[in-house]
């Protein structure tokens, strides 16, 4: 069973939906009312070093009302959602998925938000702190000390709900370099089967593409002469 809870920025109140299988069942109830009690339900061996949590969790009544989960995942971005989906495939395990941002739906509705689900609307989210953490970098020494804007998703789906829905993998040489620098198991040949497993490409399965994964990928529909010129220019530049 998978439970999702938007986590308020102050960590005060957790509200969410209960997910069983592939259906989302809105229950309208708080999964738990305050953060310290939640962390007392972490898996055995996990720690949460805060005196307020220790003091607050000593109440027998509070502990009896605190739900228990096999796994607690903080962040319902791409990685968090995939991990929660895989872990919750086991009917004997329960998973709590925490997200600081709101749902990808219209307020009080089951309708999907057009600002999230229409790719051309990405500019709204890049300028709106409702779905966006609005991060900025430190001054960059090699860019004349400029501070760069770094938008990151604060919504169910994380930054994947914020972008323009472009699918791209890293270059194979990058993964091989990671391996050479000590990241064992991150070379391209080791990662490729997982790329293929995740993907369902419209052109079907081959050596590099997947054909039966949960992530559906299609080619761009436009064929402007400038697109081909841009690609050829990159090839000429090496």
């Amino acid at each position: 069973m998978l439970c999702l809870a938007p986590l308020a920025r102050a960590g005060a109140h957790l509200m969410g939906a209960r997910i069983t299988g592939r259906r989302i069942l809105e229950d309208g109830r708080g999964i738990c009312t305050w953060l310290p009690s939640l962390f007392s339900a972490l898996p055995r061996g996990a720690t949460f070093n805060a005196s307020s949590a220790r003091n607050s969790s000593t109440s027998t009544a509070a502990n009896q009302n605190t739900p228990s989960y096999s796994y607690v995942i903080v962040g319902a971005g791409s990685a968090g959602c995939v991990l929660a989906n895989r872990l919750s495939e086991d009917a004997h395990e329960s998973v709590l998925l925490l997200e600081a941002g709101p749902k990808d739906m219209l307020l009080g509705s089951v309708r999907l938000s057009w600002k999230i689900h229409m790719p051309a609307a990405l500019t709204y989210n890049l300028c709106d702190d409702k779905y966006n953490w609005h991060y900025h970098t430190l001054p960059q020494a090699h860019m004349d000390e400029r501070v760069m804007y770094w938008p990151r998703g604060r919504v169910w789906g994380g930054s994947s709900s914020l972008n323009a829905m472009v699918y791209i993998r890293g270059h194979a040489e990058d993964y091989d370099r990671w391996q050479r620098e000590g990241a064992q198991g991150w070379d391209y040949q080791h990662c490729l089967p997982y790329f293929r497993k995740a993907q369902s490409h419209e052109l079907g399965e081959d050596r590099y593409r997947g054909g039966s994964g949960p992530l559906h990928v299609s080619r761009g529909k436009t064929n402007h002469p400038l697109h081909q010129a841009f690609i050829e220019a990159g090839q000429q530049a090496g």
Side-chain angles (χ1 to χ4, degrees):
M1 183 184 73
L2 171 62
C3 295
L4 283 87
L7 175 58
R9 192 178 298 218
H13 191 65
L14 301 174
M15 296 292 292
R18 183 174 66 256
I19 291 189
T20 304
R22 300 299 178 199
R23 285 202 313 155
I24 299 180
L25 306 175
E26 293 292 344
D27 57 16
R29 296 170 297 178
I31 290 181
C32 53
T33 55
W34 43 298
L35 195 58
S37 293
L38 168 69
F39 281 94
S40 66
L42 285 171
R44 184 174 301 174
T47 61
F48 178 60
N49 186 18
S51 58
S52 60
R54 289 194 299 268
N55 295 335
S56 299
S57 62
T58 56
S59 169
T60 303
N63 288 336
Q64 290 176 346
N65 294 327
T66 301
S68 178
Y69 301 94
S70 305
Y71 302 95
V72 176
I73 301 172
V74 180
S78 300
C81 287
V82 170
L83 182 59
N85 182 63
R86 291 300 300 275
L87 290 173
S88 61
E89 288 177 355
D90 186 342
H92 298 94
E93 303 291 355
S94 59
V95 180
L96 178 67
L97 178 58
L98 299 176
E99 169 55 43
K103 301 177 183 179
D104 55 351
M105 299 177 182
L106 298 178
L107 184 62
S109 171
V110 296
R111 292 174 53 202
L112 300 176
S113 171
W114 64 271
K115 287 187 178 182
I116 296 293
H117 293 271
M118 186 172 76
L122 84 160
T123 53
Y124 287 94
N125 302 318
L126 295 181
C127 304
D128 184 359
D129 61 3
K130 178 178 180 181
Y131 301 117
N132 185 355
W133 283 109
H134 265 251
Y135 289 143
H136 290 77
T137 69
L138 296 173
Q140 300 298 296
H142 300 289
M143 299 189 72
D144 198 23
E145 298 298 324
R146 283 179 291 176
V147 173
M148 310 302 293
Y149 177 45
W150 200 268
R152 300 300 296 169
R154 181 179 174 272
V155 61
W156 286 11
S159 297
S160 291
S161 292
L162 222 65
N163 66 21
M165 307 303 291
V166 175
Y167 177 89
I168 186 170
R169 298 176 187 169
H171 195 284
E173 175 59 24
D174 289 331
Y175 295 94
D176 292 341
R177 175 172 52 82
W178 293 352
Q179 169 91 353
R180 292 194 299 270
E181 293 178 353
Q184 295 298 319
W186 281 94
D187 59 287
Y188 186 72
Q189 288 303 315
H190 186 270
C191 293
L192 181 57
Y194 298 95
F195 288 141
R196 296 179 67 250
K197 183 177 181 179
Q199 184 187 55
S200 183
H201 200 285
E202 68 171 359
L203 298 180
E205 184 175 0
D206 64 12
R207 180 180 176 185
Y208 295 101
R209 296 190 295 257
S212 58
L215 184 61
H216 292 262
V217 179
S218 59
R219 304 180 71 186
K221 304 303 180 186
T222 58
N223 188 27
H224 196 282
L226 286 177
H227 297 171
Q228 189 60 38
F230 181 86
I231 295 175
E232 291 175 356
Q235 292 172 337
Q236 293 170 10

